[in-house]
């Protein structure tokens, strides 16, 4: 049993909505307690609201937790991905291979650098980037690969690493779903040259908005720190020589700084990560067990040698003509107050990419087929046992009609 089971996600709010039988169950939600609130209040009354001691403290705590040498905190997961692209030297005309099933930010970060995202298809059973499909997209201009640990399941990082080595590519992990996941005993955050995490409220831990990049390269970490602060050199040597007013903007960067009160929340949340993961895995186990008895809907496949972090619990409608049946399942669950979602519309099908990068339907058949089948069930650490049971009952009762 863990502390978050019956500790309602609405703790601290005046009315306990989770007690109402048909109250909405979101697919994801933050879990904030008194300790978190206290940490934020303490930071608010300190001397630093931003760029103070809480930022380094959060970076060190996360680096220690995942087992990486360097961590750079920024103000979103998208900023983390942008920093990763800059840190690895991705620039105009460079091609970067990304999976088609992901959030748009995975591809957008390449475009921010003037690069070209090249969409590769996913494995139909896991929806993770297929290393063979990725290899087929490599050209003389390819500079990097971004693997997405979709739903919280790590990619086949050994295969992606071998591919990156063979073709001299940088390897990036979009682990925005996967804080706390592991692959062959190695933690997410250590599986690629640079890893990006997000602290959006639906993710494993939250800072409201926020993100982090991890790396073992001192030089890459240094570049990303500079990029987070307008491209201003953090070289204290010149400051000491020229005068303390002196600073130098050596390259174009952004203001991607995160505040101290957000980092205070992150530090407090990180202490609860293991309990959060335990509860997510417990809910996933109940869903998986129940779905053994359903023949028209099934969870995505689980690879060997991984510890899944279950940011999402994705089920797929089985058999022919799935789109119509998926729509009916989605609408039935929504009407029952179970706020399922679909993750994701294949990125290459978005108007922007079709207009500017000449992508089109048919380019990633497994991703496009999966898109017609998938539904993300609610999963978050504040979910009560009764809510999990309600999702299972509603799903199982309807699955016979699919
Ligand atoms: C959440 C997420 C992001 C972006 O994170 P933000 O913090 O919302 O900017 C990027 N990639 C994936 C796969 C995500 O789930």
């Amino acid at each position: 049993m863990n502390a978050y089971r019956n500790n309602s996600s609405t703790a601290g709010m005046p009315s306990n909505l989770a007690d109402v039988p048909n109250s909405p169950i979101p697919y994801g939600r933050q879990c904030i307690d008194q300790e978190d609130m206290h940490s934020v209040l303490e930071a608010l009354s300190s001397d630093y609201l931003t760029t103070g001691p809480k930022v380094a403290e959060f970076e060190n705590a996360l680096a220690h937790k995942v087992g990486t040498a360097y961590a750079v905190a920024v103000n979103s997961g998208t900023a983390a991905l942008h920093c990763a692209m800059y840190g690895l030297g991705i620039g105009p005309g460079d091609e970067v291979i990304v999976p088609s099933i992901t959030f748009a930010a995975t591809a957008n970060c390449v475009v921010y650098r003037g690069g070209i995202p090249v969409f590769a298809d996913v494995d139909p059973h896991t929806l993770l980037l297929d290393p063979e499909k990725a290899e087929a997209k490599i050209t003389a201009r390819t500079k990097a690969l971004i693997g997405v640990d979709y739903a919280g399941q790590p990619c086949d990082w050994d295969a992606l690493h071998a591919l990156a080595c063979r073709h001299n590519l940088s390897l990036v992990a979009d682990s925005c779903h996967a804080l706390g996941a592991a692959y062959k005993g190695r933690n997410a955050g250590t599986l690629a040259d640079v890893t990006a995490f997000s602290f959006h409220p639906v993710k494993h831990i939250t800072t409201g908005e926020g993100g982090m990049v991890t790396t073992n390269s001192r030089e890459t970490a240094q570049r990303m720190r500079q990029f987070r602060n307008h491209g201003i050199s953090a070289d204290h040597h010149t400051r000491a020589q020229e005068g303390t007013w002196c600073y130098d903007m050596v390259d174009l960067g952004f203001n991607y700084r995160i505040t101290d009160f957000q980092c205070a929340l992150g530090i407090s949340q990180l202490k609860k990560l293991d309990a959060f993961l335990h509860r997510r895995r417990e809910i996933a186990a109940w869903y998986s067990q129940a779905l053994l008895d359903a023949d028209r809907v099934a969870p995505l496949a689980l690879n060997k040698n991984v510890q899944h972090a279950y940011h999402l619990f994705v089920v797929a409608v089985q058999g022919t003509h799935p789109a119509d049946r998926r729509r009916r399942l989605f609408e039935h669950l929504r009407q029952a107050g179970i706020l399922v979602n679909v993750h994701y519309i294949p990125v290459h099908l978005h108007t922007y990419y079709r207009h500017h990068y000449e992508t089109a339907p048919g380019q990633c058949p497994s991703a496009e087929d999966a898109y017609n089948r998938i539904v993300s069930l609610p999963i978050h650490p504040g979910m009560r046992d009764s809510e999990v049971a309600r999702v299972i009952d509603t799903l199982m009762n309807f699955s016979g009609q699919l």
Side-chain angles (χ1 to χ4, degrees), residues 76-78 81 102-103 105-106 148 174 176-177 198 200 203 210 344:
S76 73
T78 305
L81 286 165
T102 184
F103 184 53
T106 314
V148 175
D174 179 341
C176 289
H177 292 185
S198 164
H200 180 276
K203 306 291 167 71
Y344 294 92

Side-chain angles (χ1 to χ4, degrees), residues 283-296:
I283 295 166
W286 288 341
Y287 283 157
S288 301
Q289 180 64 35
L291 284 161
L292 292 174
D293 295 328
D295 46 356
R296 291 173 187 162

